Each structure stands twice: as C-alpha cells, then as structure tokens.
Amino acid sequence: MKLHPIDSCGIMLSYRCQCGCRHCVYACGPRWQGWMEREQLEKLLLGIKKTWVYPRGLHLAGGEAFLNFDLLLFGVEKCRELALPIEYVETNAGWCRDVETGLEKFRLLKEAGLYSILISVSPFHAETIPLKRSLAAIKAAREIFGPGSTIVYMSQFIPLIAQFGEERPVPLKGWIKKFGLKQAGKIFWEGYALISGGRAGPELGFLAPRRFKAQAFSGENCAREILSSRHAHFDLYGNYIPLFCGGLSLGRFDDLPSFVQNFDYRKLPLIKILVEKGPYGLYEFACKNYGFQTDERFAGKCHLCVEVRRYLIEKDYFEELSPKEFYQNLRSHLPPLTPLEGHAS
Ligand code: SF4
Ligand code: SF4
C-alpha cells in the first residue's frame, strides 16, 4: 500500500491560538510558541505544487493564523505567485473587535490574492470569543469576499449561542446548565459532528451520547485516513500529519515530492499497526508491550488512539508521535469540565 499524493491540504503556520478549544484536534492553544519560517513555508508551497496532480486547494490556518498577520499575508502572496489555489484562510475571529477591524484585515488579504475565508463559530469557540466578534467578522467578510465566499463553520450555532447573549464568552458549563448533560452532549457531539481525536476525547468524551469499550473498535483499520485520504496537514515542525490525525506524523517532509514517493508505512511501527489494525491494534500493542490497561469508554476510535498514544509517548521513543507538545497540551488551559455526579466517566 502506497501513500497517495495529496490533492488538498492544510498548512499550520503555528499551533498557537488564544482559544485553546476543548474540541481542537491539534491541541492548539496559548501555551504554544513558534511560527513557521518564511523560507520553510515557501519551500513547502513549492513542494505541494510539485506533489499534487489534481489540486483541489489548500487552506492556511494556525492555530490562529491572524495572530501573525504578516506571515499570513506572506503565505497568501506566495500562493498567488505560485498559482496555488487557496480554498480559504481559516480564522476563529477572536481578533475582530469590530466590523472596521475586519474590513481592514480582509481587504489586505484580498489584495494579496485571497478569495475566500472560513470563520469558525461553535460552542467551543464561543467559550473564549464573544459572539459579537464572530458576527462582526462575518459582516466584514461578506462585504469584502461576498456571501458566497464567506464560509461560516457552523452557522447553525449562531442562534443557539445568541440565547446566552452576544457580549461575553459562554462557558460550556453554561450549556450543560441550560440544556442538561444529555442534551448538551448531543448538541456538542452530534450538532458539530465532532471528531474524537485531539483534545475532543480527553476533554469532552464524557459528554458523548454513545461511548464504547476499546474492543468495539477491533477490526477498524486506518489505511484510508493515513494512506489514501489525499488530505494532509503540514505543521511548522515539518510534520506530515495525515488527514486530521493530530499528534501523528508520517515523518519530516524536507522535500515533499520525494517524501511522498519514497514513503513506506511499514518502517514506522505505530503507523504500521494503525494502517493494518487501527487503534485497537495499537491498544493491544500497548497492553502487551508496555502494560497499558483501561476500562474507559471512548467517544470514537480516534479517542482511543489518542489515549493509547498519550500513554506510549511516556514509555518509549516513537518518531511518529510528534510534535511531543501535542501530548502535553491535550488538556486545555480552560478550567476543567468535571463530569457531573451520577454520570459514568
Ligand atoms: S479549534 Fe480552537 S484552539 Fe484549535 S485552532 Fe481552532 S480556534 Fe484554535
Ligand atoms: S484512529 Fe488514530 S490514526 Fe486512525 S484516524 Fe483516528 S487519529 Fe488517525
């Protein structure tokens, strides 16, 4: 089985983000430092151009890319120079104090060659971002890019968040208090179609409407996600992250085309297990060789995968568990959301 060349990708200019959302699959947040070097970004863009055969587009993101606006502008300009299609730039809009601020930034990005923007709106983002900032960004983006090129992900949450008011952030505990544990869990997990990887499992797993023992994932391998999804994320440390598998690296991609060409999944022990046997295989490996034990129930296969990886990184060195800081940031900087009494953990 070969690694399929990408036809779309995300570029993570940083893991730094003021939000530190509880659902973040890359465990981004304010504790992270560091940004992609311009040279590295340029080289990566060139590599992407040579690698993809049927380009669908790339997105530029963080963390929160607007926290380093000059670098973001540089990235957009380089994409234009290289004739690389940008699907969108992704932002949580926390920086957008008012419509004017939004207009100014979006105008600069449009002049640099950007045609579309994605603004994140959800209960998780609303924990640190007042709705009025999201709304100001949406208004400004619609004016600059047009309504058809302003993606609001996910707009159905706007009226729900508005029930709590627009002026202040809304803690997730407020949702639990208002809707009850069960209904709030449904809103979060089913309403957002949460991926259980990254921080979502450790932070929000206890709220998932359905949770399963590790054995339930037996037989679900990850060959599609790792080898054939044709979508990847590239971070500032040079990690090739398959699909949305935060904290999992297929290696360092100094030269992307030759990396893809020569990649052999069998050379990385954990990747080999995940491709062939999935996270249950990883669980068995960790039990057998490193004494892993759990009675926990998991919100999805990626939740199991993350918990096993979090254990393994403490026991041994595996080059595919990268960046290491991902595992140190699986708990958000936000106050813990304690399971309420009577709810099995
Ligand atoms: S999901 Fe939240 S923490 Fe993660 S990058 Fe987006 S805004 Fe930041
Ligand atoms: S289980 Fe692990 S390897 Fe498979 S898709 Fe989820 S995070 Fe990726």
Side-chain angles (χ1 to χ4, degrees):
M1 281 185 283
K2 294 280 290 173
L3 177 61
H4 291 213
I6 51 162
D7 61 13
S8 63
C9 63
I11 297 180
M12 299 179 63
L13 298 174
S14 176
Y15 284 82
R16 187 164 177 77
C17 177
Q18 84 284 12
C19 290
C21 304
R22 298 186 203 270
H23 73 309
C24 187
V25 282
Y26 304 105
C28 296
R31 298 187 201 112
W32 291 82
Q33 306 291 332
W35 291 84
M36 192 175 277
E37 296 291 335
R38 287 180 181 218
E39 239 175 74
Q40 184 193 357
L41 175 55
E42 216 172 332
K43 200 170 163 195
L44 170 61
L45 292 174
L46 276 166
I48 291 169
K49 194 175 163 89
K50 286 186 199 156
T51 305
W52 59 19
V53 188
Y54 304 106
R56 285 197 291 121
L58 60 81
H59 63 273
L60 291 167
E64 174 49 45
F66 278 66
L67 295 179
N68 191 339
F69 192 69
D70 287 347
L71 179 64
L72 177 60
L73 264 186
F74 173 82
V76 172
E77 278 163 6
K78 281 292 150 206
C79 288
R80 179 167 67 179
E81 267 175 50
L82 294 167
L84 279 169
I86 304 181
E87 270 182 295
Y88 53 82
V89 161
E90 185 173 341
T91 182
N92 61 41
W95 51 270
C96 192
R97 290 173 190 284
D98 47 35
V99 179
E100 272 314 307
T101 311
L103 289 172
E104 187 193 320
K105 301 273 189 213
F106 294 150
R107 204 170 281 130
L108 288 166
L109 285 167
K110 189 166 187 192
E111 282 164 15
L114 185 67
Y115 291 99
S116 182
I117 189 107
L118 183 147
I119 297 168
S120 305
V121 184
S122 77
F124 318 111
H125 297 89
E127 250 197 311
T128 50
I129 300 172
L131 182 62
K132 70 174 184 183
R133 293 200 177 201
S134 315
L135 296 176
I138 293 167
K139 191 161 191 276
R142 285 184 174 151
E143 202 169 318
I144 300 292
F145 300 109
S149 298
T150 301
I151 306 156
V152 182
Y153 192 82
M154 298 177 155
S155 58
Q156 70 268 28
F157 282 114
I158 293 176
L160 281 174
I161 300 167
Q163 292 183 32
F164 296 92
E166 294 182 9
E167 296 296 317
R168 274 187 288 277
V170 186
L172 282 196
K173 276 195 172 168
W175 293 73
I176 296 171
K177 201 168 159 203
K178 187 174 175 75
F179 295 104
L181 199 66
K182 206 170 161 187
Q183 188 58 18
K186 273 189 150 190
I187 294 171
F188 301 155
W189 280 91
E190 291 170 6
Y192 192 86
L194 275 179
I195 296 172
S196 65
R199 206 178 269 140
E203 282 278 345
L204 302 169
F206 75 97
L207 284 164
R210 298 182 68 214
R211 292 173 303 129
F212 310 88
K213 292 266 191 195
Q215 288 73 7
F217 303 102
S218 155
E220 279 189 54
N221 74 42
C222 297
R224 184 190 64 79
E225 290 90 337
I226 293 175
L227 296 177
S228 56
S229 72
R230 295 190 183 275
H231 188 75
H233 284 78
F234 303 110
D235 74 10
L236 66 154
Y237 306 111
N239 290 306
Y240 185 118
I241 303 161
L243 198 59
F244 307 116
C245 308
L248 197 65
S249 173
L250 300 192
R252 302 289 159 102
F253 57 84
D254 270 349
D255 176 350
L256 191 60
S258 78
F259 176 86
V260 173
Q261 182 78 29
N262 300 319
F263 181 76
D264 181 350
Y265 80 88
R266 293 164 301 188
K267 290 186 177 158
L268 297 166
L270 303 189
I271 296 292
K272 182 176 185 306
I273 294 170
L274 286 166
V275 166
E276 294 174 354
K277 298 181 183 164
Y280 187 67
L282 199 65
Y283 161 85
E284 287 183 312
F285 168 80
C287 293
K288 188 169 167 215
N289 298 290
Y290 295 94
F292 183 68
Q293 286 183 337
T294 184
D295 270 336
E296 202 183 329
R297 285 180 178 269
F298 300 92
K301 73 173 187 174
C302 303
H303 183 191
L304 170 63
C305 183
V306 166
E307 293 296 4
V308 178
R309 286 191 265 135
R310 170 151 72 162
Y311 179 83
L312 286 175
I313 200 168
E314 294 298 327
K315 299 290 169 196
D316 211 336
Y317 173 74
F318 297 97
E319 65 174 293
E320 54 265 64
L321 301 186
S322 178
K324 199 166 176 228
E325 294 86 343
F326 168 90
Y327 297 92
Q328 294 156 355
N329 279 280
L330 282 172
R331 279 286 175 195
S332 169
H333 71 296
L334 297 166
L337 255 193
T338 338
L340 301 186
E341 226 178 306
H343 187 91
S345 61

